Amino acid sequence: MPTRLASVSETAKLAAAPVSDPVPNPEESLTGLLETEEDAVQGDAAADAPVGSHAAPVPSGAAQSGGPEATDAAPLGTVNASGHNRLLVIDGHSMAFRAFYALPAENFSTDTGQHTNAVYGFTSMLINLIKNEEPTHIAVAFDLDTPTFRTEEYSEYKGGRNKTPEEFHGQIDLIIKVMEAMRIPTISLDGYEADDILATLSEQAADRNWDVMVVSGDRDAFQLVNDHVTVFYPKKGVSDLPRMDAAAVEEKYLVPPDKYSDLAALVGESADNLPGVPGVGPKTAAKWIKQYGGLDGILEHLDEIKGKVGDSLRANIEDVKRNRRLNRLLRDLELPVDLDAMAARRPDRDAIEELFDALQFNALRKRLFDVYGEEETAADHPELVPPVHVVLTGAEELRGWFEATNQAPAAVQLVTEGAGEARDAVGLALVTDNAAAFIPLTEIDAAAEKVLADWLADKDAPKVVHDFKSAYKLLARRGLHLAGEVDDPAISGYLIQPDRRSYDLADLSLTHLKLSLDAAPDTGNQLELSLEGEDSATPAVRKAFAALRLSEHFAGQLVERGANQLLGGLELPLSEVLAEMELAGIAVSTEKLDALLDQFSFTINQAKEEAFAVIGKEINLGSPKQLQVVLFEELGLPKTKKIKTGYSTDADALADLIVKTGGHPFLAHLLAYRDAAKLRQTVEGLRKAVADDGRIHTTYAQTVAATGRLSSINPNLQNIPIRSEEGRRIREVFVVGEGYETLLTADYSQVEMRIMAHLSGDESLIQAFRDGEDLHRFVGSHIFGVPPEEVTSAMRSKVKAMSYGLVYGLSSFGLSKQLSIPVDEARTLMRDYFTRFGAVRDYLRGVVEQARKDGYTSTIEGRRRYLPDLASTNRQLREMSERAALNAPIQGSAADIIKKAMLGVDAELKKQGLKSRMLLQVHDELVLEVAPGEREAAEKLVREQMAGAADLSVPLDVSVGWGASWHEAGH
DNA sequence: TACTAGACGTA
DNA sequence: CGTACGTCTAGTAC
């Protein structure tokens, strides 16, 4: 038996469409502009690759089994009551096609344009089968796009089929990737079809007395049915899979399964392009089979069959014999995968997360994990069982416990009650390497609390705290100061892997420790607890334990990635600074908020009425869907940019329409409505966020932005309007609080361009910054070849747009669009820019090149961002990563700098014993609340700390303003 | 009730 | 066909 083995390519990238990838026009994008000569040559070579000829994109291999990891890959299913193993085998191609035609391709695609309907349907079907049938073993067989013994005997075999639809391309590869992630072996064999593999597996399993479930959209599979083997044959789509056992086959085809192939040979199979005997249908065929015992009997008695059909049979008997040869499935192939290797295992959770993220399968992810139930629990792994905890309430007990820790790192985990402003810490779990304790905060006396307070505030008592900032704030509300933090696994995890979706303790534990916190394993912790805190103790102990283990786990990786200094010297201390800022909040004037609310509401109503008057009816102006009807159907306005749901009604599109329609009155009213509605929404959000103390306390997310920036939530105070006059008025509501003299704002000017100048080392840019020139005017004069004073405002704004665009990887097309100039002009602008500032071009080119080589970009503080998709064969993914690579070092370095500045400002305020305090950070701006008499000192130290936060080859300019409101203090 | 799409605010 | 975010509303899927 000839077999040829090869493994499925591990490197086939998600959503890959390598051969159909057009090479970018080097002039069309920044990354194109940056392409080196060699890159361009490679690109051309790629362009010569065949296009669109990959009908069945299965890797030219044979077998692939799940990953080698053993820890969480233990067999899942258990033999059923009858003692049988249950093998589920699937014909991959036929089911993928069924899924493809069952679900509309246009409803299933990723942002990158890869269709996923077949992948979705297939995976969904598989999940249902696993759930309902509980197989103990699973495998999926695929056809290869190579000749088989059938096509060699009969070249028209399966001929006449339509070409594979464009939308199907790549989906088989994706299904294989899903199978890999689910640790389900996929099998294909050169020269044979998937059905032959199914037949062989059925035979092998039957030999072992297993039950077999074959899933195939190919009727030939019916010949496999017997007492052990049933076939699931799709009736409609892939969700309705009737179970075809022997009785069902016989009922439908009038012959028992082992005679089905005889019947098919006589009747023919149009799907395989096998003609049968004209005039003979299933009924006649079945009658003969019954009468003569099968095809062999019919052949023996060929002459006895009377009538026209008899003549027809004799005339076509060679076809029938050929059909029978071709539809017989081979049951004795030598397969590269053993049945035992098909044991159902837990999916590779990391791989599923990554893959389903890319495929945007969110509901499926949940369904999949639901089927597999809880992960293995701590109880399965002794090393993951936390030490048994003691409950500490007395001062002496506490003192003794802390002394026994002997300065070993202890993880701290709070137990809280209530939510929002009322959230309060009621208990505290402590875990060291060999001991665990729980302290019911609400139960302990003053003496005990004093012991605890001293330990918590002890800088030399090292602590690991997951989400340190929250814990710090909660304890602060109880008058407890938390110090001595040496790690926060959320932040360590973020520094190691800054674009993870979540740094939840439970998520991190699952991925890195394979430890589930949700399950409540019996840890053997049978302590008799008589306190109210007892219920919450064990989960909290487990969390603290997980935090400690995570910290150990991350320690090595932090060193490897050079992130230790970033953690201990920047992010952890910043965490405390942020906590204080959040606790402080910023005072707001609710009167002003209410006045603005009224004002915006008035504008909204006015705009609404006027808009309705124009179209003669009332619609919901906030509904893009209804707007589309009015604009493009009823008013018949020209079509705008296409979006998923029709045509865009966004501000850019409306501005275009205004030009094209010569200023349709409805559009102006609509824009006015939109503006006011957005502002009112902002004001309403702020209104709701005012706390009892009359201040708004935002929360800074320290582990969200992949570049290293902070983000602000609940409410977001980093996107308060400033560009429009009406919007800017919202800043009037943020005011100086009682007991303070003024608000002070300090911001970096053009920090990103300065970083660009520094990193690129471009001498003329650096000189311009050193000379304190107007950057855009300076650049403009170079590009347009005029003296600086002759740079017009139009020239200046073009330059400004381009300079900032560079930092984002802007293309000439994008630039032309933004400036409403021809692409040619934009292209010339960019070329001139790079001619004048060659070092910038070299730098940007180098960044992407280096990132491709290293797999990550770095900021001036060594903060990394990993960009695996730089190597993607999918152009859209790759180019997105290239732009991210251009931007990350610059945006990230700016983030590093202001973070350092914040530490400096905080330290200096304390050192000088000032009462003034930082309230807000808005990426390149700090807002401080200044205590009486401290304005000058505060301004001086803020300027010094901000300007001195980095040692660049250009100065860091800081501008400062002050006033009673944020609006007034702005500049 | 939970999610997505569209829109739009900031640096 | 410009990076990084968060929030709201409408509309739909569950």
Side-chain angles (χ1 to χ4, degrees), chain A residues 15-17 108-110 112-116 167-171 174 874:
Chain A
F108 291 85
S109 58
T110 66
T112 58
Q114 168 69 50
H115 290 283
T116 55
E167 292 85 355
F168 190 70
H169 286 170
Q171 297 207 50
L174 288 172
N874 177 307

Side-chain angles (χ1 to χ4, degrees), chain A residues 522-839:
Chain A
D522 180 5
T523 58
N525 189 339
Q526 301 300 326
L527 267 200
E528 283 181 27
L529 305 176
S530 56
L531 295 149
E532 275 191 27
E534 66 171 277
D535 287 339
S536 45
T538 307
V541 167
R542 198 163 51 238
K543 285 181 188 170
F545 174 75
L548 193 65
R549 295 300 311 270
L550 277 171
S551 182
E552 292 163 7
H553 179 86
F554 287 149
Q557 294 183 48
L558 283 171
V559 173
E560 257 172 51
R561 304 194 173 201
N564 249 341
Q565 173 57 25
L566 218 39
L567 176 73
L570 191 68
E571 299 291 355
L572 275 183
L574 181 71
S575 209
E576 178 175 340
V577 172
L578 293 173
E580 294 289 357
M581 289 165 64
E582 295 173 14
L583 284 170
I586 184 164
V588 291
S589 159
T590 47
E591 292 81 10
K592 285 186 186 165
L593 269 176
D594 291 339
L596 281 176
L597 207 54
D598 286 347
Q599 186 193 315
F600 293 140
S601 296
F602 180 80
T603 311
I604 288 173
N605 286 332
Q606 211 175 18
K608 224 195 231 176
E609 279 171 28
E610 287 166 345
F612 293 162
V614 176
I615 58 172
K617 63 171 186 172
E618 300 198 353
I619 62 163
N620 185 346
L621 293 176
S623 162
K625 204 176 165 213
Q626 295 180 34
L627 281 175
Q628 284 177 22
V629 174
V630 169
L631 293 178
F632 308 118
E633 290 173 25
E634 297 174 12
L635 296 179
L637 301 186
K639 300 285 192 283
T640 58
K641 180 178 64 185
K642 233 181 149 57
I643 54 174
K644 272 188 190 170
T645 56
Y647 298 95
S648 173
T649 67
D650 71 15
D652 275 350
L654 295 183
D656 269 357
L657 280 184
I658 287 180
V659 174
K660 283 189 187 144
T661 59
H664 195 290
F666 178 73
L667 298 172
H669 299 316
L670 174 58
L671 281 174
Y673 169 85
R674 280 250 180 94
D675 281 348
K678 177 75 179 171
L679 294 174
R680 184 175 68 176
Q681 177 202 300
T682 303
V683 172
E684 268 177 341
L686 292 174
R687 180 72 246 229
K688 287 193 196 115
V690 180
D692 290 344
D693 60 0
R695 301 172 74 95
I696 291 179
H697 304 261
T698 185
T699 301
Y700 289 102
Q702 208 178 342
T703 59
V704 165
T707 52
R709 274 188 175 180
L710 299 176
S711 77
S712 160
I713 52 172
N714 301 323
N716 181 357
L717 294 186
Q718 289 178 324
N719 70 343
I720 302 303
I722 192 169
R723 289 174 189 166
S724 77
E725 185 47 51
E726 315 83 74
R728 192 152 51 225
R729 292 203 52 208
I730 297 180
R731 294 185 172 226
E732 290 172 3
V733 309
F734 295 90
V735 296
V736 59
E738 201 157 312
Y740 289 84
E741 182 182 304
T742 183
L743 289 181
L744 181 149
T745 70
D747 62 48
Y748 286 119
S749 51
Q750 296 155 337
V751 66
E752 291 187 334
M753 285 310 294
R754 285 169 201 266
I755 291 167
M756 170 94 94
H758 170 79
L759 291 175
S760 69
D762 188 287
E763 282 306 326
S764 55
L765 267 186
I766 290 173
Q767 200 52 49
F769 277 123
R770 284 183 180 162
D771 295 345
E773 295 195 44
D774 175 333
L775 176 78
H776 304 309
R777 184 170 294 277
F778 170 83
V779 172
S781 90
H782 274 72
I783 291 179
F784 293 108
V786 297
E789 60 274 14
E790 285 174 32
V791 173
T792 63
S793 67
M795 289 156 85
R796 189 176 181 281
S797 62
K798 281 179 188 174
V799 167
K800 191 175 172 185
M802 184 161 50
S803 287
Y804 280 104
L806 284 184
V807 180
Y808 305 140
L810 185 68
S811 66
S812 53
F813 178 89
L815 184 66
S816 77
K817 208 151 171 242
Q818 196 195 318
L819 295 175
S820 311
I821 56 175
V823 179
D824 276 350
E825 191 185 334
R827 200 173 289 155
T828 309
L829 265 177
M830 291 183 77
R831 194 175 294 144
D832 290 349
Y833 192 106
F834 283 131
T835 310
R836 290 293 172 178
F837 304 101

Side-chain angles (χ1 to χ4, degrees), chain A residues 403-454:
Chain A
E403 267 168 25
T405 64
N406 201 19
Q407 307 294 70
V412 179
Q413 173 67 45
L414 296 181
V415 175
T416 64
E417 275 176 7
E421 277 193 84
R423 184 156 174 238
D424 187 27
V426 295
L428 190 154
L430 297 171
V431 174
T432 67
D433 239 8
N434 52 27
F438 180 76
I439 303 167
L441 290 174
T442 50
E443 308 284 329
I444 61 178
D445 62 22
E449 181 158 328
K450 173 75 168 65
V451 176
L452 175 62
D454 286 348

Side-chain angles (χ1 to χ4, degrees), chain A residues 829-870:
Chain A
L829 265 177
M830 291 183 77
R831 194 175 294 144
D832 290 349
Y833 192 106
F834 283 131
T835 310
R836 290 293 172 178
F837 304 101
V840 171
R841 176 185 188 146
D842 294 343
Y843 163 71
L844 293 174
R845 181 189 289 170
V847 164
V848 178
E849 219 167 84
Q850 191 68 36
R852 221 189 308 274
K853 208 179 296 167
D854 299 338
Y856 59 86
T857 61
S858 298
T859 66
I860 54 178
E861 292 293 327
R863 182 191 303 276
R864 294 184 187 176
R865 176 166 187 189
Y866 288 81
L867 295 162
D869 283 342
L870 284 175

